Amino acid sequence: MSDGRRDSSGTWQRDHPWAAVYDRISGDPHLGALLWRVGMGSSVEELHRRARRELAAVPAGGTVLDLPCGGGVVLRDLPVDHALHYVAADISPAMLERTRGEAERLGVAADVETRVADVEQLADADETYDLVLTFTSLHCFPDPEAAVHELARVLRSGGRLVGSAFCVDAGLLYLPGHRIGRALGVLGPPVRSTEVRSWLVAAGLVDVRLDRAGALTYFEGTRA
Ligand SMILES: C[S@@+](CC[C@H](N)C(=O)[O-])C[C@H]1O[C@@H](n2cnc3c(N)ncnc32)[C@H](O)[C@@H]1O
């Protein structure tokens, strides 16, 4: 992985000021949740509902990859007394530091492995994980198709890939947000929900499902 990327991943890797702002918004249940609702046109609770559902379904001893983990927004959804091997990975060392802080705050630091990783080149062997979570992600990656392929590669047969993306076909209302994100350098190329579906299918996922929630398209599939 290069430290000098000049694309959207490089912007996150260098901890652009938006990263700290985003972390505050996504992690705060009051004002942050309100700002999320205004910006995304849906509730952040939708993300947590899906994370809780998927995490609860992983058998004891199962392995989970949360990539990009950002500031650890999903950690609060870990089931109590879970017996999971949970890897929180992100390209940004600063975001991983925030994740470690959140894990300490929640008292789950001993259960969470944090790791610098680039979604385009994961170090994991094929078929490592029972669940891969990739929330609010694909629109931030320079090559979202390659990301889907890599995330599916590390999934076991029968494993689940679940996430969300800010898609340009969500409606005209959200196009200014895309333009601003591109101008700041924190967004990658435009992602369309039809593309997400075809990438998931091409990556070997079945029972693919997409649901729109305001600006976000939630997606899920099972590795054949
Ligand atoms: C909008 S945040 C989403 C974080 C979290 N999943 C959430 O839902 O709040 C996007 C994250 O993608 C990470 N990221 C960007 N490019 C990446 C890459 N190539 N590999 C891994 N993480 C990356 C950023 O550092 C950032 O934490």
Side-chain angles (χ1 to χ4, degrees), residues 32-58:
L34 182 65
L35 292 172
W36 180 289
R37 181 172 279 287
V38 172
M40 300 291 198
S42 64
S43 170
V44 68
E45 186 49 33
E46 185 60 31
L47 180 161
H48 292 296
R49 191 180 67 74
R50 288 168 190 265
R52 280 196 297 272
R53 182 192 70 196
E54 297 296 331
L55 287 165
V58 180

mmCIF file of all heavy atoms in Angstrom, residues 32-58:
data_model
loop_
_atom_site.group_PDB
_atom_site.id
_atom_site.type_symbol
_atom_site.label_atom_id
_atom_site.label_comp_id
_atom_site.label_asym_id
_atom_site.label_seq_id
_atom_site.Cartn_x
_atom_site.Cartn_y
_atom_site.Cartn_z
ATOM 1 N N GLY A 32 -25.442 14.467 15.974
ATOM 2 C CA GLY A 32 -24.868 13.739 14.836
ATOM 3 C C GLY A 32 -25.938 12.972 14.084
ATOM 4 O O GLY A 32 -25.994 12.985 12.847
ATOM 5 N N ALA A 33 -26.801 12.291 14.840
ATOM 6 C CA ALA A 33 -27.868 11.510 14.194
ATOM 7 C C ALA A 33 -28.803 12.422 13.410
ATOM 8 O O ALA A 33 -29.288 12.055 12.327
ATOM 9 C CB ALA A 33 -28.628 10.715 15.245
ATOM 10 N N LEU A 34 -29.027 13.627 13.963
ATOM 11 C CA LEU A 34 -29.894 14.590 13.269
ATOM 12 C C LEU A 34 -29.224 15.050 11.965
ATOM 13 O O LEU A 34 -29.865 15.102 10.902
ATOM 14 C CB LEU A 34 -30.158 15.781 14.197
ATOM 15 C CG LEU A 34 -31.069 16.859 13.653
ATOM 16 C CD1 LEU A 34 -32.487 16.310 13.436
ATOM 17 C CD2 LEU A 34 -31.102 18.055 14.597
ATOM 18 N N LEU A 35 -27.928 15.366 12.047
ATOM 19 C CA LEU A 35 -27.206 15.805 10.842
ATOM 20 C C LEU A 35 -27.151 14.689 9.798
ATOM 21 O O LEU A 35 -27.237 14.931 8.594
ATOM 22 C CB LEU A 35 -25.787 16.259 11.218
ATOM 23 C CG LEU A 35 -25.717 17.541 12.047
ATOM 24 C CD1 LEU A 35 -24.291 17.802 12.526
ATOM 25 C CD2 LEU A 35 -26.229 18.730 11.234
ATOM 26 N N TRP A 36 -27.000 13.453 10.270
ATOM 27 C CA TRP A 36 -27.004 12.302 9.354
ATOM 28 C C TRP A 36 -28.338 12.244 8.627
ATOM 29 O O TRP A 36 -28.402 12.053 7.417
ATOM 30 C CB TRP A 36 -26.760 11.013 10.149
ATOM 31 C CG TRP A 36 -26.745 9.751 9.339
ATOM 32 C CD1 TRP A 36 -27.825 9.137 8.747
ATOM 33 C CD2 TRP A 36 -25.602 8.935 9.012
ATOM 34 N NE1 TRP A 36 -27.427 7.992 8.088
ATOM 35 C CE2 TRP A 36 -26.072 7.841 8.234
ATOM 36 C CE3 TRP A 36 -24.236 9.016 9.321
ATOM 37 C CZ2 TRP A 36 -25.219 6.843 7.767
ATOM 38 C CZ3 TRP A 36 -23.397 8.013 8.847
ATOM 39 C CH2 TRP A 36 -23.885 6.945 8.071
ATOM 40 N N ARG A 37 -29.414 12.439 9.402
ATOM 41 C CA ARG A 37 -30.754 12.371 8.794
ATOM 42 C C ARG A 37 -30.919 13.449 7.726
ATOM 43 O O ARG A 37 -31.428 13.178 6.635
ATOM 44 C CB ARG A 37 -31.838 12.518 9.876
ATOM 45 C CG ARG A 37 -33.243 12.443 9.332
ATOM 46 C CD ARG A 37 -34.287 12.392 10.410
ATOM 47 N NE ARG A 37 -34.475 11.071 10.986
ATOM 48 C CZ ARG A 37 -35.083 10.061 10.375
ATOM 49 N NH1 ARG A 37 -35.553 10.216 9.159
ATOM 50 N NH2 ARG A 37 -35.215 8.901 10.961
ATOM 51 N N VAL A 38 -30.425 14.645 8.026
ATOM 52 C CA VAL A 38 -30.550 15.744 7.066
ATOM 53 C C VAL A 38 -29.688 15.458 5.830
ATOM 54 O O VAL A 38 -30.129 15.586 4.689
ATOM 55 C CB VAL A 38 -30.129 17.084 7.726
ATOM 56 C CG1 VAL A 38 -30.064 18.200 6.696
ATOM 57 C CG2 VAL A 38 -31.105 17.441 8.844
ATOM 58 N N GLY A 39 -28.446 15.032 6.061
ATOM 59 C CA GLY A 39 -27.514 14.832 4.949
ATOM 60 C C GLY A 39 -27.809 13.601 4.127
ATOM 61 O O GLY A 39 -27.681 13.608 2.900
ATOM 62 N N MET A 40 -28.210 12.530 4.799
ATOM 63 C CA MET A 40 -28.407 11.243 4.117
ATOM 64 C C MET A 40 -29.878 10.963 3.795
ATOM 65 O O MET A 40 -30.182 10.006 3.083
ATOM 66 C CB MET A 40 -27.877 10.090 4.978
ATOM 67 C CG MET A 40 -26.404 10.178 5.310
ATOM 68 S SD MET A 40 -25.379 9.924 3.850
ATOM 69 C CE MET A 40 -23.808 9.555 4.628
ATOM 70 N N GLY A 41 -30.767 11.734 4.378
ATOM 71 C CA GLY A 41 -32.187 11.508 4.100
ATOM 72 C C GLY A 41 -32.706 10.205 4.687
ATOM 73 O O GLY A 41 -33.724 9.666 4.247
ATOM 74 N N SER A 42 -31.994 9.658 5.668
ATOM 75 C CA SER A 42 -32.437 8.428 6.342
ATOM 76 C C SER A 42 -31.792 8.403 7.722
ATOM 77 O O SER A 42 -30.941 9.234 8.029
ATOM 78 C CB SER A 42 -32.031 7.188 5.546
ATOM 79 O OG SER A 42 -30.619 7.082 5.488
ATOM 80 N N SER A 43 -32.195 7.431 8.534
ATOM 81 C CA SER A 43 -31.675 7.361 9.895
ATOM 82 C C SER A 43 -30.418 6.492 9.963
ATOM 83 O O SER A 43 -30.355 5.427 9.341
ATOM 84 C CB SER A 43 -32.753 6.777 10.811
ATOM 85 O OG SER A 43 -32.190 6.491 12.066
ATOM 86 N N VAL A 44 -29.432 6.940 10.764
ATOM 87 C CA VAL A 44 -28.234 6.116 10.970
ATOM 88 C C VAL A 44 -28.611 4.813 11.679
ATOM 89 O O VAL A 44 -27.882 3.811 11.627
ATOM 90 C CB VAL A 44 -27.148 6.903 11.765
ATOM 91 C CG1 VAL A 44 -27.580 7.146 13.201
ATOM 92 C CG2 VAL A 44 -25.800 6.211 11.712
ATOM 93 N N GLU A 45 -29.795 4.816 12.293
ATOM 94 C CA GLU A 45 -30.264 3.593 12.965
ATOM 95 C C GLU A 45 -30.443 2.451 11.964
ATOM 96 O O GLU A 45 -30.344 1.276 12.315
ATOM 97 C CB GLU A 45 -31.572 3.916 13.708
ATOM 98 C CG GLU A 45 -32.118 2.804 14.584
ATOM 99 C CD GLU A 45 -31.079 2.177 15.535
ATOM 100 O OE1 GLU A 45 -30.169 2.889 16.017
ATOM 101 O OE2 GLU A 45 -31.178 0.957 15.768
ATOM 102 N N GLU A 46 -30.659 2.803 10.692
ATOM 103 C CA GLU A 46 -30.777 1.764 9.660
ATOM 104 C C GLU A 46 -29.471 0.965 9.556
ATOM 105 O O GLU A 46 -29.481 -0.270 9.424
ATOM 106 C CB GLU A 46 -31.113 2.427 8.315
ATOM 107 C CG GLU A 46 -31.390 1.475 7.173
ATOM 108 C CD GLU A 46 -32.555 0.546 7.436
ATOM 109 O OE1 GLU A 46 -33.504 0.931 8.156
ATOM 110 O OE2 GLU A 46 -32.517 -0.591 6.932
ATOM 111 N N LEU A 47 -28.351 1.677 9.619
ATOM 112 C CA LEU A 47 -27.035 1.017 9.598
ATOM 113 C C LEU A 47 -26.908 0.092 10.818
ATOM 114 O O LEU A 47 -26.518 -1.084 10.685
ATOM 115 C CB LEU A 47 -25.949 2.101 9.599
ATOM 116 C CG LEU A 47 -24.468 1.717 9.577
ATOM 117 C CD1 LEU A 47 -23.647 2.932 9.107
ATOM 118 C CD2 LEU A 47 -23.931 1.255 10.908
ATOM 119 N N HIS A 48 -27.246 0.616 11.989
ATOM 120 C CA HIS A 48 -27.080 -0.181 13.214
ATOM 121 C C HIS A 48 -28.010 -1.390 13.227
ATOM 122 O O HIS A 48 -27.628 -2.474 13.679
ATOM 123 C CB HIS A 48 -27.319 0.699 14.445
ATOM 124 C CG HIS A 48 -26.262 1.742 14.622
ATOM 125 N ND1 HIS A 48 -24.952 1.431 14.862
ATOM 126 C CD2 HIS A 48 -26.311 3.095 14.537
ATOM 127 C CE1 HIS A 48 -24.236 2.542 14.947
ATOM 128 N NE2 HIS A 48 -25.035 3.564 14.739
ATOM 129 N N ARG A 49 -29.217 -1.201 12.714
ATOM 130 C CA ARG A 49 -30.175 -2.322 12.681
ATOM 131 C C ARG A 49 -29.605 -3.466 11.847
ATOM 132 O O ARG A 49 -29.644 -4.625 12.242
ATOM 133 C CB ARG A 49 -31.496 -1.820 12.078
ATOM 134 C CG ARG A 49 -32.665 -2.774 12.202
ATOM 135 C CD ARG A 49 -33.919 -2.168 11.581
ATOM 136 N NE ARG A 49 -33.830 -2.002 10.137
ATOM 137 C CZ ARG A 49 -33.908 -2.997 9.253
ATOM 138 N NH1 ARG A 49 -34.085 -4.234 9.667
ATOM 139 N NH2 ARG A 49 -33.821 -2.758 7.954
ATOM 140 N N ARG A 50 -29.042 -3.113 10.682
ATOM 141 C CA ARG A 50 -28.476 -4.150 9.800
ATOM 142 C C ARG A 50 -27.230 -4.769 10.431
ATOM 143 O O ARG A 50 -27.026 -5.986 10.349
ATOM 144 C CB ARG A 50 -28.148 -3.543 8.433
ATOM 145 C CG ARG A 50 -29.405 -3.244 7.639
ATOM 146 C CD ARG A 50 -29.136 -2.385 6.415
ATOM 147 N NE ARG A 50 -30.392 -1.952 5.841
ATOM 148 C CZ ARG A 50 -31.034 -2.581 4.831
ATOM 149 N NH1 ARG A 50 -30.507 -3.638 4.277
ATOM 150 N NH2 ARG A 50 -32.182 -2.126 4.389
ATOM 151 N N ALA A 51 -26.382 -3.947 11.036
ATOM 152 C CA ALA A 51 -25.169 -4.480 11.659
ATOM 153 C C ALA A 51 -25.541 -5.449 12.785
ATOM 154 O O ALA A 51 -24.975 -6.552 12.873
ATOM 155 C CB ALA A 51 -24.319 -3.329 12.191
ATOM 156 N N ARG A 52 -26.487 -5.049 13.616
ATOM 157 C CA ARG A 52 -26.884 -5.926 14.746
ATOM 158 C C ARG A 52 -27.445 -7.247 14.237
ATOM 159 O O ARG A 52 -27.102 -8.320 14.732
ATOM 160 C CB ARG A 52 -27.951 -5.223 15.610
ATOM 161 C CG ARG A 52 -27.398 -4.200 16.570
ATOM 162 C CD ARG A 52 -28.415 -3.829 17.644
ATOM 163 N NE ARG A 52 -29.604 -3.212 17.090
ATOM 164 C CZ ARG A 52 -29.733 -1.901 16.859
ATOM 165 N NH1 ARG A 52 -28.759 -1.073 17.135
ATOM 166 N NH2 ARG A 52 -30.866 -1.418 16.367
ATOM 167 N N ARG A 53 -28.285 -7.162 13.208
ATOM 168 C CA ARG A 53 -28.893 -8.379 12.649
ATOM 169 C C ARG A 53 -27.820 -9.326 12.126
ATOM 170 O O ARG A 53 -27.845 -10.525 12.408
ATOM 171 C CB ARG A 53 -29.853 -7.980 11.516
ATOM 172 C CG ARG A 53 -30.588 -9.136 10.870
ATOM 173 C CD ARG A 53 -31.275 -8.685 9.594
ATOM 174 N NE ARG A 53 -30.318 -8.377 8.542
ATOM 175 C CZ ARG A 53 -30.591 -7.674 7.434
ATOM 176 N NH1 ARG A 53 -31.798 -7.182 7.252
ATOM 177 N NH2 ARG A 53 -29.665 -7.460 6.529
ATOM 178 N N GLU A 54 -26.869 -8.799 11.383
ATOM 179 C CA GLU A 54 -25.849 -9.658 10.772
ATOM 180 C C GLU A 54 -24.889 -10.216 11.817
ATOM 181 O O GLU A 54 -24.517 -11.386 11.759
ATOM 182 C CB GLU A 54 -25.075 -8.875 9.704
ATOM 183 C CG GLU A 54 -25.929 -8.408 8.549
ATOM 184 C CD GLU A 54 -26.534 -9.546 7.727
ATOM 185 O OE1 GLU A 54 -25.917 -10.636 7.667
ATOM 186 O OE2 GLU A 54 -27.618 -9.351 7.153
ATOM 187 N N LEU A 55 -24.498 -9.370 12.771
ATOM 188 C CA LEU A 55 -23.548 -9.832 13.796
ATOM 189 C C LEU A 55 -24.176 -10.917 14.662
ATOM 190 O O LEU A 55 -23.508 -11.886 15.042
ATOM 191 C CB LEU A 55 -23.099 -8.650 14.664
ATOM 192 C CG LEU A 55 -22.130 -7.681 13.969
ATOM 193 C CD1 LEU A 55 -22.024 -6.373 14.754
ATOM 194 C CD2 LEU A 55 -20.750 -8.326 13.814
ATOM 195 N N ALA A 56 -25.465 -10.762 14.951
ATOM 196 C CA ALA A 56 -26.133 -11.755 15.802
ATOM 197 C C ALA A 56 -26.229 -13.113 15.099
ATOM 198 O O ALA A 56 -26.346 -14.145 15.759
ATOM 199 C CB ALA A 56 -27.533 -11.256 16.171
ATOM 200 N N ALA A 57 -26.159 -13.102 13.776
ATOM 201 C CA ALA A 57 -26.326 -14.358 13.022
ATOM 202 C C ALA A 57 -25.004 -15.114 12.820
ATOM 203 O O ALA A 57 -25.002 -16.255 12.359
ATOM 204 C CB ALA A 57 -26.957 -14.054 11.664
ATOM 205 N N VAL A 58 -23.881 -14.487 13.173
ATOM 206 C CA VAL A 58 -22.582 -15.170 12.993
ATOM 207 C C VAL A 58 -22.417 -16.186 14.124
ATOM 208 O O VAL A 58 -22.588 -15.838 15.299
ATOM 209 C CB VAL A 58 -21.411 -14.162 13.020
ATOM 210 C CG1 VAL A 58 -20.077 -14.874 12.841
ATOM 211 C CG2 VAL A 58 -21.596 -13.102 11.945
#
